[in-house]
Structures are given as C-alpha cells and as structure tokens.
Amino acid sequence: MKADIHSLYEKSKKGDLVATHEGDINSDLITKYLSGVESSLSEAGELTKITRKVYNILVEALQNLFHHLEIPPKEYLDSVNLPETCRYAFCTLIREGKGAYKVTCGNFVSNKYIQFLRDRIEQLNYLSSVELKELYKRILNNDEFSSKGGGGLGFIEMARMSGQKLGYDFLKYDDCYSFFVLEIRIG
Amino acid sequence: MDSINIEGTPKTPEVSFDAKTGQIEIKGRSIPENSIEFYKPLVDWLDKYADIAQGVVNVVIQLEYFNTSSSKCILDVFKKLENMHNKNKTEVVINWYYEEDDEDMLEAGEDYQSILKIPFKMVEIAE
C-alpha cells in the first residue's frame, strides 16, 4: 500500500498549531516561515531561550529539505495537481505544552538512501550530549562540504538543540521512493 | 586595499572589514542556504589582508543565529585569522559576543576556541 501522505500531513498538524507549510520548498518560503514563527512565539510571550532553540532547529530542518529532498514521483504530483517541478515537502510546528514544541517534516527520498539515513539517525540517537558535541566539532573541522552545500552537521545540530531522540519513519511509496517523516522535540 | 562593508539582511550578517584600522566585524544572522557564496569573498579578502596587516587586528563576532553551513565558513574565516596571528607583525584577538542567557551561543564560541590556537575573549551582553 502506498504511503498516505495527506493523512501524514493532517496528523502532523493535530494539536496547537503554530506554523505549517505544505508544497514547494524554496529560499523565500523558508525566510517567511521563520519570520512567521518568530512573530508567533514572541506574541505568545515564549521565553527567548526556547524561541532560539525552536528557530535554530527549524533553520536546519527547512534547509535540510531545501538541499536534500527528492522531487516527488510524477504520479504523486499529478494526483494532487502540483506541477512536475514542485519540490514537495511539509513542515509543521506544534506547541505541545509550556515551552515544549514538536517540529515534523515530511519529504520524499529515494529508497536507496533509506539505510544511510536510518543509520545516521540511529547513530545520533545512541550518542550522549557530550559525544554529540565531540562529533559536531570533528565534522566542523574536517574541511568538507557535501556536493549540495551542506556541511553534514544539520542532523547533529538538531539532535544537540533538541536534547531528545530524533523521531523518524520511512513509508514506502513505490519501488523507487519512500516518504520520510522526521520529528524533532524541544523542551 | 579596499575595505568591505555589507549591510545585514534577514539571512546574512552585517559585515565590516576595515583595512585601515584592522577592525573586523560580523554581526546579526547568518542563515543563508548558500553560505559558501556569501563567505568566499570575505575569506579571499583576509588572504590578501594578511600580507599587509600590522599591529592589532580586533575581531568582533556578534551573531544572533547561524546555521551549520555558516559554521563551517566561520571556521574558514577564523583559520585565515589564525594564520595572520602566527605572522610576526600581527596580533589577532577574537571577541565572541553572546547574550547572557544564550548558553548555546557561548558553547559555539567555546567550540571554536578549542579548535583554534588564537586568543578568544568571550563577551557577555546583558539583556
């Protein structure tokens, strides 16, 4: 059975919704999303310390989508009336309680990358905060950028800022693609 | 040698590199999608400035947010400054500013300090 992406998106929005986006991911959208979240948290009187963490995690989550998402299969885009160039993804921010938030991102990935991503997230979830810091410093200082301009640090930073295990799932879409859902909790 | 003056935007920092006074400042937010494009001219400038720099080069880094791809570029900037510092004629001091309750920004400065062999001053800003 194909992943029901609409249901995944609707599920990610359940609760006290602070911000949401579904559709194409581009630089302007990221700027607007971040600005909207900053205003919402400020209006809600959220502590600066929490706002900073939410903002930092969203920067990494959205830019991770920007750099790495796969353009969805045409069959999916046709089914939801999106153009075939649409870099579809979603990103929601839910307030779960006082100073507690959940970021959920969803995007298509090629099935061939699933094992790599799963291993990477599992490795980070296994590490202590001290080990995450050491890994961050080691990769920071390795002089390498990925071919897509990322530094290989985004997931580590999200794990460090969150202080909690990264939640994730891969839902099979077809023989080539799956839908990747990443959940990051704050507070 | 020309100085560099760049106004800040919602995603890129305000930059002031003064070739006459040796005052180097990066302030604001550094969260561009393509950080290499933004920082390459700054790193190239420091390469050239190293040949003429004399006395004290005072560096002010006062960032509110920076993304992980900027963090690599900022390290490139610091490595150029470290090379400058190791030349006989120049003394480089990096002043890393952070708001008093921003432990993550303080920790980020300490991460750089532990990687580099160059004087760092952690400067707390009272809110």
Side-chain angles (χ1 to χ4, degrees):
Chain A
M1 197 176 80
K2 281 188 188 327
D4 181 353
I5 291 147
H6 180 70
S7 296
L8 290 169
Y9 175 58
E10 291 300 318
K11 188 180 157 201
S12 79
K13 290 195 296 180
K14 279 188 181 157
D16 183 2
L17 186 65
V18 180
T20 183
H21 171 75
E22 183 193 30
D24 199 40
I25 293 285
N26 57 55
S27 181
D28 286 345
L29 173 277
I30 293 174
T31 309
K32 282 181 195 151
Y33 192 104
L34 292 170
S35 165
V37 167
E38 208 172 14
S39 302
S40 296
L41 296 190
S42 170
E43 282 164 21
E46 187 52 84
L47 293 173
T48 313
K49 193 175 176 173
I50 300 291
T51 301
R52 284 195 200 105
K53 280 197 192 293
V54 171
Y55 192 93
N56 273 316
I57 285 174
L58 279 170
V59 167
E60 296 304 329
L62 290 164
Q63 293 188 342
N64 183 56
L65 294 174
F66 178 85
H67 286 296
H68 298 292
L69 65 76
E70 298 274 351
I71 290 185
K74 188 172 181 307
E75 180 198 333
Y76 175 73
L77 291 172
D78 286 347
S79 73
V80 288
N81 293 320
L82 288 170
E84 61 185 75
T85 52
C86 179
R87 305 177 75 237
Y88 174 89
F90 69 70
C91 183
T92 58
L93 175 66
I94 297 286
R95 186 182 290 104
E96 291 194 304
K98 196 179 173 190
Y101 293 85
K102 180 178 75 172
V103 174
T104 309
C105 293
N107 61 285
F108 282 91
V109 291
S110 287
N111 288 337
K112 62 185 177 185
Y113 294 128
I114 290 177
Q115 196 58 46
F116 169 80
L117 278 167
R118 193 188 296 277
D119 289 349
R120 181 115 178 110
I121 296 169
E122 284 297 327
Q123 180 205 17
L124 298 180
N125 282 345
Y126 180 75
L127 297 178
S128 67
S129 60
V130 174
E131 288 167 329
L132 279 172
K133 183 183 169 78
E134 286 310 310
L135 180 64
Y136 180 93
K137 279 164 61 177
R138 199 163 69 238
I139 295 179
L140 174 64
N141 199 21
N142 73 1
D143 294 334
E144 285 175 18
F145 267 96
S146 75
S147 59
K148 292 183 179 176
L153 290 165
F155 275 91
I156 306 174
E157 182 69 356
M158 287 189 273
R160 279 182 81 184
M161 283 282 164
S162 160
Q164 300 178 51
K165 291 190 189 314
L166 300 172
Y168 68 95
D169 205 354
F170 294 96
L171 297 116
K172 189 173 176 185
Y173 186 78
D174 60 21
D175 287 342
C176 297
Y177 294 97
S178 289
F179 200 73
F180 172 44
V181 179
L182 178 67
E183 277 186 3
I184 312 126
R185 285 194 148 81
I186 300 127
Chain B
M1 184 174 178
D2 289 339
S3 296
I4 294 181
N5 284 294
I6 302 170
E7 282 186 26
T9 73
K11 280 187 171 167
T12 55
E14 172 192 342
V15 176
S16 169
F17 285 11
D18 190 322
K20 284 189 184 137
T21 63
Q23 181 78 7
I24 286 175
E25 298 183 351
I26 301 178
K27 294 179 174 180
R29 296 181 179 201
S30 184
I31 54 166
E33 279 79 33
N34 189 344
S35 52
I36 301 175
E37 187 179 84
F38 183 80
Y39 280 93
K40 189 174 184 304
L42 308 184
V43 172
D44 291 346
W45 188 94
L46 289 169
D47 244 349
K48 288 181 189 148
Y49 185 61
D51 294 334
I52 60 162
Q54 286 189 354
V56 176
V57 173
N58 192 52
V59 182
V60 171
I61 308 292
Q62 190 172 336
L63 292 169
E64 196 183 356
Y65 292 108
F66 62 97
N67 60 0
T68 52
S69 87
S70 293
S71 70
K72 287 223 162 203
C73 295
I74 292 166
L75 182 62
D76 288 343
V77 166
F78 286 159
K79 284 189 171 173
K80 293 294 173 194
L81 291 163
E82 185 179 44
N83 290 339
M84 209 184 287
H85 183 71
N86 291 334
K87 290 193 171 184
N88 292 333
K89 292 180 292 186
T90 315
E91 184 193 346
V92 180
V93 179
I94 295 176
N95 299 277
W96 182 271
Y97 286 76
Y98 65 98
E99 291 193 6
E100 64 180 342
D101 66 343
D102 194 351
E103 289 158 19
D104 293 322
M105 191 57 77
L106 170 61
E107 203 176 325
E110 289 170 348
D111 287 348
Y112 285 119
Q113 188 176 25
S114 71
I115 291 170
L116 297 152
K117 291 182 178 63
I118 185 169
F120 258 78
K121 279 187 196 164
M122 299 298 166
V123 186
E124 186 178 284
I125 309 165
E127 279 191 89

